[in-house]
Amino acid sequence: NNNADNRVITGSGTANTLNGESNVVIDANGKLGIGTTPATILHVKANLGDMLRLDRDNAGAVGNQLAFRHKDGSGNFVETASINCVSAANADGGVLTFSTKTSGGSNTERMRLRTATGALMINSDGSDRIGEPRLHITQGGASTNVASFFFNTTHDRDAIFIRHNGCGTQSSGMIKFLNEFGNENGRISGNTTSITYATSSDY
């Protein structure tokens, strides 16, 4: 039927009988719909289970499980970013890594989620972390900062909150300052009503 969408045809289990699978549709524009009429290039609708599953059969295989590409100035497709899952046998209880391509074409990891703890490592594989932080950022260079917070309106609001649930019963550490060896040389602590600045300086 020239007016109908393309459909996948499967056997019904009955001899000489075929079924049109309404769950899979390819429309005239090349859009693929699974469980629904496609509104985008790939449109998946499901009530139960995983929406999309990517299985890698070889835990030691090299390659991305999801790659993002676009055309360069010469009209060639080049990979710009990728997502990969490393199994527990390879690293730290399993990690989900996010990478980008450098100008030289090499794949550089920018961020990873440690699936065992839910901790986010930015610009680090987590090997230089201290303890088990939920967020760890590594940065270096003469003209770069580790983090920046900018409240971009003139409203009288706080830019950063630090809240500690233990302040009601004890003096709890809010911020700790470490030297290059990872040893503490100062801290800011708080209790229910006051803040203490613990430092070797009397200034």
Side-chain angles (χ1 to χ4, degrees):
N1 184 341
N2 291 333
N3 296 319
D5 293 332
N6 299 303
R7 298 185 183 276
V8 174
I9 306 299
T10 62
S12 66
T14 303
N16 302 320
T17 303
L18 296 176
N19 287 336
E21 292 291 344
S22 59
N23 284 334
V24 181
V25 176
I26 304 173
D27 69 12
N29 297 313
K31 297 177 182 178
L32 173 61
I34 301 176
T36 185
T37 300
T40 59
I41 296 299
L42 174 61
H43 190 172
V44 181
K45 180 181 179 181
N47 293 325
L48 299 172
D50 300 332
M51 295 289 288
L52 177 64
R53 178 178 293 179
L54 304 174
D55 289 343
R56 171 172 287 159
D57 196 37
N58 184 354
V62 177
N64 304 314
Q65 287 175 288
L66 186 60
F68 301 88
R69 306 199 310 163
H70 78 285
K71 282 188 175 181
D72 61 13
S74 302
N76 301 314
F77 280 103
V78 295
E79 182 181 322
T80 57
S82 60
I83 300 176
N84 186 29
C85 184
V86 182
S87 69
N90 290 18
D92 203 11
V95 295
L96 185 64
T97 64
F98 300 83
S99 303
T100 60
K101 288 285 188 180
T102 63
S103 56
S106 60
N107 205 35
T108 302
E109 181 182 318
R110 305 297 188 185
M111 183 171 64
R112 67 169 52 193
L113 182 66
R114 298 176 58 220
T115 55
T117 62
L120 180 63
M121 309 285 109
I122 299 177
N123 204 32
S124 170
D125 62 4
S127 59
D128 56 353
R129 73 187 190 277
I130 296 177
E132 290 293 346
R134 287 296 176 263
L135 173 64
H136 176 69
I137 305 172
T138 298
Q139 183 62 31
S143 60
T144 57
N145 298 316
V146 175
S148 176
F149 301 90
F150 176 40
F151 188 79
N152 68 344
T153 69
T154 59
H155 298 87
D156 185 15
R157 301 296 298 172
D158 298 313
I160 300 174
F161 287 94
I162 299 177
R163 182 180 179 183
H164 200 305
N165 203 44
C167 288
T169 58
Q170 61 191 1
S171 179
S172 300
M174 296 293 195
I175 299 176
K176 181 183 289 188
F177 300 92
L178 310 178
N179 60 21
E180 67 273 24
F181 305 108
N183 299 322
E184 179 183 332
N185 55 17
R187 69 160 53 205
I188 300 175
S189 303
N191 55 32
T192 302
T193 59
S194 64
I195 292 292
T196 301
Y197 299 89
T199 173
S200 58
S201 173
D202 60 356
Y203 177 70

